[in-house]
Amino acid sequence: MSKKLFINFLLLSTVLLLINKSANAQREFSKSINDSFILKLSEQDVLLLVDETKQIDLQLNGILDQKISVVFDNSHENYIDIQPSTIDINPTNESSKFVIKIHGLHPGQLDLGASVLPNGTYHGDIFIRLTVAISNAIIYISIIIGWMYFVAWSISFWPQIWINFKRKSVVGLNFDFLALNVVGHTLYAIFNVSLYWSSYIENEYFQRHPRGLNPVIANDVGFSVHAVFATSLTIIQCFIYERGEQRVSNIARGILGLFSVVIIISGILVATETLHWLDFIYNLSYIKLSITLIKYVPQAIMNYKRKSTIGWSIENVLLDFTGGILSMLQMILNAYNYDDWISIFGDPTKFGLGLFSVLFDVLFIVQHYVLYRDPEYTEITGDNNGDIPESNTNQIISDDNENVV
């Protein structure tokens, strides 16, 4: 009985060994075929309009030892028509070019992938990132709007710096807002710089999104680095100019401390290889989003308690409001042009954050022009331009000492 089991064991081992050798031979054969030729598309990012046809080329370079078929995904037939949908390529020792025509049927953004048959003959990834738009004019309008809100947001930091310099005082500018703002912009800058300039983190991103594009562009890096510089300069002014008894509140310190704990824990997880660097910088971006939701609250409360917006630049608010409106307008135009309303209503984070900031800007505008408008001014130390209303001087100084943080 034991001899029979031993023979069966030998037979089974021999069969498994033959199967393994066959699989290895197939992999080596596939690898040799894959190494012998290259398939390349003339374009991988294609923009076309509805009812427009564009032509791209599929280039074969190298030696092809057997017939293959390149089959394009047909799951997007409602958005595009691709001809031919299957390209049969016969064995050849020469480079060949095949024409592909893509016709836009319905607006949308999609990835058009292709498979190579028989399976295993090619290990590359052939795909096209397609954007089908309703109007070319809307595309250019969207680009212009993007540059407009980029400029508006970029220069929105400087009116506050100028008014601080002009008054030689930062009384009326909430320190909680400043502390949250500089941390938020710093984390955002780290996220952008890391994903834009670090090849290691960028490779991690493309491993997860092999057909994606780097979401960070040069504008994002420039804006965030400039924002850190401008907010840091504003904080330096707080140490130079009159500040009264203003300080960062315990609540703000506690919030920033909580964020610091999250960052430290994330860093430890990265150091122990439990978390990837890409996840770490994404955590920084989530903290930045959280800060965006709460950073204006201290300034709005302070204005209410002081019954004044003096020391808080309304030009900053107006520029931020302009940038926010233009940003949301661009999102709406793009959603219409690409029939991508789910990007707004299905995942409302970006649109919601923009709307939230705009609503705070509206509140500041109402405080400045409606609730606390037309004050009568009197000069006090550190306020040579008469920025304190005479009727509220005592109250403002008292509130600054007690409530401005």
Side-chain angles (χ1 to χ4, degrees), residues 266-286:
S266 298
I268 293 173
L269 293 176
V270 170
T272 57
E273 299 184 351
T274 306
L275 200 68
H276 293 94
W277 276 109
L278 183 62
D279 298 312
F280 176 77
I281 66 168
Y282 269 122
N283 287 345
L284 299 186
S285 71
Y286 299 147

Side-chain angles (χ1 to χ4, degrees), residues 218-239:
N219 281 9
D220 298 322
V221 176
F223 170 80
S224 57
V225 171
H226 170 264
V228 173
F229 170 76
T231 49
S232 298
L233 182 57
T234 308
I235 290 175
I236 292 173
Q237 289 181 316
C238 295
F239 290 96

Side-chain angles (χ1 to χ4, degrees), residues 24-43:
N24 288 336
Q26 179 64 35
R27 282 195 294 269
E28 290 299 321
F29 174 73
S30 298
K31 185 176 185 299
S32 65
I33 292 211
N34 179 55
D35 291 341
S36 65
F37 72 94
I38 298 174
L39 292 171
K40 184 178 181 182
L41 292 163
S42 58
E43 293 183 62

